[in-house]
């Protein structure tokens, strides 16, 4: 599942925001999902965009996802509230925290198959 990360950015130390995003990306990848980091979305635009341009790009990226995860503090952020509303209007799944995002069952099937294939290869290998 492709999951957009929504968290407050405006008014916060960008290094702390980046650390929160990096952590969220790691958790989502561990659970077998593709993460969309809003800092990457707007960072790709350089300094050319103002707040309105960035939030427009964020909403565009969000609507190309299957779900959004809301990180702590989203309730106090107009941008996060807008992202949540857009996700709800367009029928995306909304998770209120990283721990509410389920593991990707399809991913576990792939991992189990890889482990089984590796065991089969070892079993069929002739020791010299």
């Amino acid at each position: 599942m492709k999951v957009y990360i929504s968290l407050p950015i405006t008014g916060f130390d960008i290094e702390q925001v980046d650390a929160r995003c990096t952590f969220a990306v790691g958790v989502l990848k561990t659970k077998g999902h593709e993460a969309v980091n809003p800092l990457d979305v707007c960072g790709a635009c350089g300094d050319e965009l103002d707040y309105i341009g960035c939030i427009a790009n964020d909403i565009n990226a969000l609507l190309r996802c299957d779900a959004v995860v809301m990180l702590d503090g989203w309730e106090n952020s107009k941008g996060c509230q807008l992202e949540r509303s857009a996700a709800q209007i367009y029928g995306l799944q909304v998770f209120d925290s990283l721990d509410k995002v389920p593991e990707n069952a399809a991913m576990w099937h792939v991992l189990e198959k890889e482990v089984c294939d590796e065991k089969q290869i070892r079993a069929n290998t002739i020791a010299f």
Side-chain angles (χ1 to χ4, degrees), residues 43-77:
C45 302
D47 293 329
E48 299 172 18
L49 294 180
D50 59 2
Y51 176 80
I52 301 297
C54 278
I55 197 71
N57 280 358
D58 289 341
I59 296 297
N60 185 27
L62 170 102
L63 294 178
R64 297 176 189 283
C65 294
D66 305 300
V68 60
V69 61
M70 311 301 297
L71 300 190
D72 288 343
W74 72 265
E75 305 92 340
N76 302 315
S77 164

Side-chain angles (χ1 to χ4, degrees), residues 47-118:
D47 293 329
E48 299 172 18
L49 294 180
D50 59 2
Y51 176 80
I52 301 297
C54 278
I55 197 71
N57 280 358
D58 289 341
I59 296 297
N60 185 27
L62 170 102
L63 294 178
R64 297 176 189 283
C65 294
D66 305 300
V68 60
V69 61
M70 311 301 297
L71 300 190
D72 288 343
W74 72 265
E75 305 92 340
N76 302 315
S77 164
K78 291 178 184 177
C80 292
Q81 291 174 26
L82 178 61
E83 290 166 347
R84 184 182 182 91
S85 293
Q88 290 172 328
I89 289 167
Y90 287 95
L92 279 64
Q93 289 184 286
V94 178
F95 300 105
D96 287 327
S97 64
L98 285 167
D99 62 325
K100 304 252 181 181
V101 178
E103 291 181 349
N104 185 345
M107 193 64 175
W108 284 111
H109 175 71
V110 170
L111 292 174
E112 287 173 356
K113 182 177 180 347
E114 288 176 3
V115 169
C116 290
D117 288 348
E118 186 176 323

Side-chain angles (χ1 to χ4, degrees), residues 116-128:
C116 290
D117 288 348
E118 186 176 323
K119 287 180 182 176
Q120 186 65 38
I121 291 169
R122 285 188 199 152
N124 292 335
T125 303
I126 300 172
F128 290 96

